[in-house]
Amino acid sequence: MDLKFTPEEIAFQHEVRSFIAENYPAELRARRKLEREFDKREYLSWHRILAQKGWVAPSWPREHGGTDWTPAKKYIFSNELALAGTIPLIGFGLNLAAPVIWTYGNQAQKDYFLPRIYNGVDWWCQGYSEPGAGSDLAGLRTRAVRDGDHYVINGSKTWTTLAQHADMMFCLVRTDADAKPQAGISFLLVDMKTPGISVRPIITLDGGHEVNEIFLEDVRTPVANRIGNENEGWTYAKVLLGHERSGIAGVARSKQQIARLKKIASDTQEEGRPLLLDPDFAHRLAALEVELLALEFTDLRTLAALNAGQSPGAESSILKIKGTEIQQRITELMLEAAGIYGAPDLRGMNLDGDNFMGISAELGGIAPDYLNMRKSSIYGGSNEIQRNIIAKAVLGL
Amino acid sequence: MDFSFTEEQVLLRNSVQRYIQDKYSFEARKTILASEAGWSRDNWRAFAELGLLAAPFAEEYGGFGGGALEAMIIMEEFGKGLVVEPYLQTVVLCGGLINLAGSAAQKSEYLPKIASGELIMALAHAEPQGRFNLADILTRAEKGGDGFVLNGAKAVVTAAPWAGKLIIPARTSGAQRDRRGVTLFIVDKNAPGISCRDYPTIDGQRASEISFENVKAGGNAVLGGVGAGLAILEEAVDRAIAAQCAEAVGCMRVLTDATVEYCKTRKQFGQPIGKFQVLQHRMVDMFMECEQSLSMTYMVNLKLDEGEAERIRAASAAKAQIGKAGRFVGQQAIQLHGGMGMTDELNVGHYFKRLTMIDAQFGNVDYHLKRFAAAGQTDR
Ligand SMILES: Cc1cc2nc3c(=O)[nH]c(=O)nc-3n(C[C@H](O)[C@H](O)[C@H](O)COP(=O)(O)OP(=O)(O)OC[C@H]3O[C@@H](n4cnc5c(N)ncnc54)[C@H](O)[C@@H]3O)c2cc1C
């Protein structure tokens, strides 16, 4: 056991840090915090800068553009991105579609799709959930019927994150209605420009447009866009769900958010002193930091196990549950720190050069963040479902 | 001991319930929120006709002679409908302040206008630097002319965009957080020197940042005596807290019922999700928080007249319970609705937002736990 980074790793850390400092788009840096929803161009601008450097997908296999970084270096890298507060990379292509394609796709699919994902040519969305199939994903009903060398898809998907930007969707469809629920599912890659697809926004309680409903009406998708075998999509998807969970701990982002929280709490006066020094507030903040520190080391242990060749087991559910609980708790404390200034709804207001008394873009974003973050215990396998997994797979209950 | 309501009180509750059912559907509310004004004068007029705006005032001022319990009943039902019209601000807070401390002339000038629906008022108590401390006041009122001249700023003044008059606590003496030297002024919102920046709030109300630049307030604008404002303000806010607790109970009740109903009908894994014991226990906890909050709401409304120390402890205890329970019930309602709970389309998120904002209004859990503890210490 050893916690220290090697001199080489420290040199790497400096390299990453200065790369970000020199290359992160000034336009993104200058953004005011209130505009929570970045647009497609902004997301892709940073993606492409990293792709050019060869750093957009460190965990990919070497032959597809990944790095041979040690887990420690990967850790340093994602840590530096988070601490710098860079715009997040959208993972649907990089972390979700790509692993399935390189693991189960044929050569033509790998050759075509992987470089496009790497270079940010296609934006991907995840078409799993349906109105009737959320936690119980195997209950999905969207049908794909074979017609020559095409599938004809009918049905609907929902909660599809950022589908409004998507060029491609990877989705699960039912190809055998008579088989057991898990057995009749296939994994298809669908071009979002295919006739018959319509995308309708779902506005969330924070007012944002992040998720969508997708309606599929006689959507013809080439059979060549099926991953692996017909009716075996569930197996592939399960592998993918494993990937979805790893990295979900979000330790580095949470650290950065805690730093922000401390800044806000030290700028906020209560009874003539900074709120940060209020014993009650300080106590809760400390408890949260302790929790995060524990999670960081659980995360590192998982990483080390991965490095030793063990596959991420059901233990990764711990990372999802604790990680999201901490993220939610941070937004709660931010809202507490904001006090009455959590209330103004500043969407659409022009605050340029106008710091009208206590109102600021910084504080104005806090309540929407708090509301929005409730999602994190619902998606990616709800925290109840994650606890079921641990109960069953780890504790053998 | 008796926790039952009089026949009149039951009738009052029924009539508010009926109005909310008929006229304040979730869709109707949406239309109100999206309108330019952000509130409905028609509703306000109807509230006046139903006698709601007059309920807590004495008959000689156009009221119906009710009190805290009537306001509690009305606010609980308003909570169920997520009513945005400024009942709490105008009737409970400002009406309450005038009722507590106004001269006979002030009472007869303002209370009948509030009762008839003619006058909307807002209390401009919070300041940008002040957080929840009512005594943290920098706005100054200096003697000048035949009265006072006000300078300073107020923060997140709910209902100010709709108000004709403001009640403004300002310093006639003393330093920032001194308990002495606070004076309340009733000022016309259109008075020269007042500028407002209006905005919607997260929970669908409207509020303003307000600045005062040499605003003139005549000697008759003083409410309750020069330098005597803080105690009155504290009492009025405690009374508002009592009413607001009822509103929060209304919100929590709707959320708990909606969640139970949803879990009975939503099926996953071939069964209603309400069959999963972990969710059952969660809903039981929601239900218990509702009941505890209702108990605290009765408690505080029954203790408002029992002397200052008792009142402070009651109000702070109730507000702390409501803040804690509101957060739990709101968060769990979203969680148990899954993705649906995250949508703007479903009413659940809107109740959650209101409960979230109630926690920060008039002091959050922390603030009230401290205040409760401090009041206990001076008692002994
Ligand atoms: C913001 C957001 C983004 C999303 N993005 C995507 C996306 O890009 N692509 C996609 O395919 N999906 C996406 N989802 C969908 C997400 O995966 C589902 O919301 C999630 O699987 C839960 O399903 P549900 O919403 O139908 O809730 P339900 O499954 O109906 O669950 C309702 C409640 O019941 C609980 N519950 C269900 N089953 C059990 C059980 N067996 N034991 C105990 N409790 C149980 C749940 O935990 C939850 O609290 C997104 C969701 C959100 C909120």
Side-chain angles (χ1 to χ4, degrees), chain A residues 66-95:
Chain A
T67 63
D68 47 16
W69 293 348
T70 59
K73 275 187 164 178
K74 287 177 194 164
Y75 168 82
I76 289 169
F77 179 70
S78 57
N79 215 34
E80 288 303 317
L81 287 186
L83 293 178
T86 58
I87 185 170
L89 295 172
I90 298 299
F92 294 107
L94 288 172
N95 305 333

Side-chain angles (χ1 to χ4, degrees), chain B residues 283-344:
Chain B
M283 286 183 275
V284 170
D285 288 341
M286 292 169 74
F287 169 75
M288 292 195 296
E289 288 300 337
C290 278
E291 291 302 320
Q292 294 279 78
S293 300
L294 181 64
S295 304
M296 286 300 239
T297 301
Y298 287 176
M299 182 280 298
V300 62
N301 278 285
L302 292 169
K303 286 193 170 194
L304 287 172
D305 296 319
E306 302 227 325
E308 191 183 14
E310 193 67 15
R311 187 201 75 223
I312 288 175
R313 277 170 72 83
S316 284
K319 187 65 169 54
Q321 162 65 25
I322 290 290
K324 174 182 77 104
R327 177 183 293 181
F328 178 77
V329 171
Q331 291 181 348
Q332 293 309 324
I334 304 271
Q335 181 70 19
L336 269 53
H337 277 82
M340 285 305 297
M342 286 299 297
T343 64
D344 186 59

Side-chain angles (χ1 to χ4, degrees), chain A residues 111-124:
Chain A
D111 290 346
Y112 181 76
F113 289 115
L114 293 178
R116 295 173 66 93
I117 292 175
Y118 193 92
N119 295 312
V121 178
D122 293 327
W123 182 297
W124 286 74

Side-chain angles (χ1 to χ4, degrees), chain A residues 14-262:
Chain A
H14 289 300
E15 187 189 352
V16 173
R17 206 167 280 183
S18 51
F19 179 80
I20 296 171
E22 284 156 26
N23 294 280
Y24 191 63
E27 159 194 47
L28 295 182
R29 206 186 298 271
R31 271 183 76 101
R32 294 197 319 267
K33 299 224 168 52
L34 186 57
E35 297 162 54
R36 305 172 56 257
E37 294 169 75
F38 292 92
D39 63 32
K40 182 175 183 173
R41 195 183 46 85
E42 289 169 320
Y43 277 117
L44 286 176
S45 68
W46 182 228
H47 179 119
R48 288 179 182 146
I49 289 167
L50 287 173
Q52 219 159 30
K53 174 80 178 167
W55 283 1
V56 83
S59 300
W60 282 25
R62 198 77 185 88
E63 77 251 43
H64 299 306
T67 63
D68 47 16
W69 293 348
T70 59
K73 275 187 164 178
K74 287 177 194 164
Y75 168 82
I76 289 169
F77 179 70
S78 57
N79 215 34
E80 288 303 317
L81 287 186
L83 293 178
T86 58
I87 185 170
L89 295 172
I90 298 299
F92 294 107
L94 288 172
N95 305 333
L96 301 183
V100 170
I101 294 173
W102 79 59
T103 313
Y104 300 106
N106 58 35
Q107 198 57 46
Q109 289 168 335
K110 289 186 218 178
D111 290 346
Y112 181 76
F113 289 115
L114 293 178
R116 295 173 66 93
I117 292 175
Y118 193 92
N119 295 312
V121 178
D122 293 327
W123 182 297
W124 286 74
C125 67
Q126 178 186 30
Y128 281 14
S129 304
E130 297 183 7
S135 297
D136 182 14
L137 191 54
L140 62 92
R141 291 221 292 262
T142 294
R143 290 272 287 144
V145 177
R146 189 75 178 254
D147 178 22
D149 54 4
H150 280 79
Y151 284 107
V152 181
I153 311 174
N154 277 287
S156 66
K157 295 289 173 184
T158 192
W159 315 122
T160 326
T161 299
L162 299 179
Q164 68 266 39
H165 301 325
D167 305 295
M168 293 294 299
M169 166 169 70
F170 59 93
C171 62
L172 293 175
V173 294
R174 191 158 294 289
T175 37
D176 183 351
D178 302 324
K180 278 197 179 151
Q182 285 90 340
I185 292 171
S186 297
F187 197 110
L188 296 186
L189 312 179
V190 176
D191 185 335
M192 291 296 282
K193 284 182 282 298
T194 321
I197 299 183
S198 47
V199 177
R200 207 195 70 131
I202 299 175
I203 303 303
T204 44
L205 71 164
D206 53 294
H209 173 200
E210 177 176 327
V211 287
N212 303 272
E213 282 178 289
I214 299 183
F215 300 97
L216 303 117
E217 232 181 303
D218 294 329
V219 174
R220 296 181 66 83
T221 291
V223 171
N225 275 10
R226 189 189 67 219
I227 294 286
N229 298 322
E230 194 172 78
N231 296 331
E232 287 180 19
W234 185 257
T235 328
Y236 314 145
K238 265 173 71 179
V239 170
L240 211 153
L241 286 177
H243 281 272
E244 187 170 7
R245 262 164 228 143
S246 63
I248 205 154
V251 171
R253 294 261 163 208
S254 287
K255 276 190 185 169
Q256 184 236 354
Q257 287 300 307
I258 284 189
R260 203 184 131 208
L261 169 60
K262 285 182 176 166

Side-chain angles (χ1 to χ4, degrees), chain B residues 35-314:
Chain B
S35 69
E36 173 89 34
W39 72 304
S40 155
R41 267 196 190 280
D42 289 346
N43 280 332
W44 198 251
R45 235 171 268 131
F47 294 165
E49 277 160 26
L50 288 171
L52 310 184
L53 307 182
F57 304 129
E59 282 167 31
E60 54 182 314
Y61 302 118
F64 289 115
L69 291 181
E70 280 68 25
M72 176 186 89
I73 290 167
I74 293 167
M75 285 299 288
E76 186 179 344
E77 299 306 321
F78 278 2
K80 292 181 190 164
L82 283 181
V83 168
V84 295
E85 282 74 14
Y87 191 84
L88 187 78
Q89 318 301 325
T90 299
V91 178
V92 181
L93 260 178
C94 293
L97 273 168
I98 293 166
N99 204 21
L100 278 172
S103 63
Q106 285 168 330
K107 286 186 192 175
S108 18
E109 182 179 354
Y110 296 112
L111 295 183
K113 284 189 191 154
I114 291 177
S116 69
E118 209 177 310
L119 176 65
I120 302 288
M121 293 185 76
L123 174 66
H125 63 287
E127 299 201 354
Q129 81 292 341
R131 231 172 135 74
F132 306 126
N133 183 351
L134 294 172
D136 197 323
I137 294 175
L138 291 173
T139 299
R140 297 211 71 90
E142 320 259 326
K143 275 234 153 74
D146 63 343
F148 295 84
V149 178
L150 274 62
N151 280 287
K154 297 290 179 176
V156 198
V157 184
T158 310
W162 310 322
K165 301 264 180 201
L166 300 173
I167 296 183
I168 306 158
R171 283 214 166 274
T172 36
S173 66
Q176 188 171 348
R177 282 180 298 279
D178 282 357
R179 293 192 50 84
R180 291 175 25 193
V182 176
T183 305
L184 304 177
F185 295 91
I186 306 178
V187 174
D188 200 297
K189 206 194 83 174
N190 296 318
I194 294 188
S195 43
C196 296
R197 170 96 184 221
D198 302 346
Y199 48 82
T201 58
I202 297 286
D203 53 347
Q205 308 201 332
R206 300 282 169 104
S208 310
E209 301 297 289
I210 306 182
S211 73
F212 306 94
E213 223 186 297
N214 298 323
V215 174
K216 293 201 176 66
N220 59 354
V222 171
L223 179 63
V226 173
L230 190 67
I232 313 163
L233 182 63
E234 284 179 338
E235 178 168 355
V237 167
D238 282 343
R239 289 176 179 275
I241 285 173
Q244 197 176 40
C245 286
E247 180 192 0
V249 166
C251 294
M252 285 188 238
R253 190 69 75 187
V254 171
L255 282 180
T256 304
D257 291 350
T259 305
V260 169
E261 202 43 47
Y262 186 77
C263 289
K264 282 181 184 167
T265 49
R266 169 70 173 169
K267 284 192 176 147
Q268 289 287 277
F269 304 101
Q271 54 190 317
I273 57 175
K275 290 275 176 228
F276 299 122
Q277 210 161 48
V278 67
L279 300 191
Q280 290 177 354
H281 286 191
R282 208 81 61 77
M283 286 183 275
V284 170
D285 288 341
M286 292 169 74
F287 169 75
M288 292 195 296
E289 288 300 337
C290 278
E291 291 302 320
Q292 294 279 78
S293 300
L294 181 64
S295 304
M296 286 300 239
T297 301
Y298 287 176
M299 182 280 298
V300 62
N301 278 285
L302 292 169
K303 286 193 170 194
L304 287 172
D305 296 319
E306 302 227 325
E308 191 183 14
E310 193 67 15
R311 187 201 75 223
I312 288 175
R313 277 170 72 83

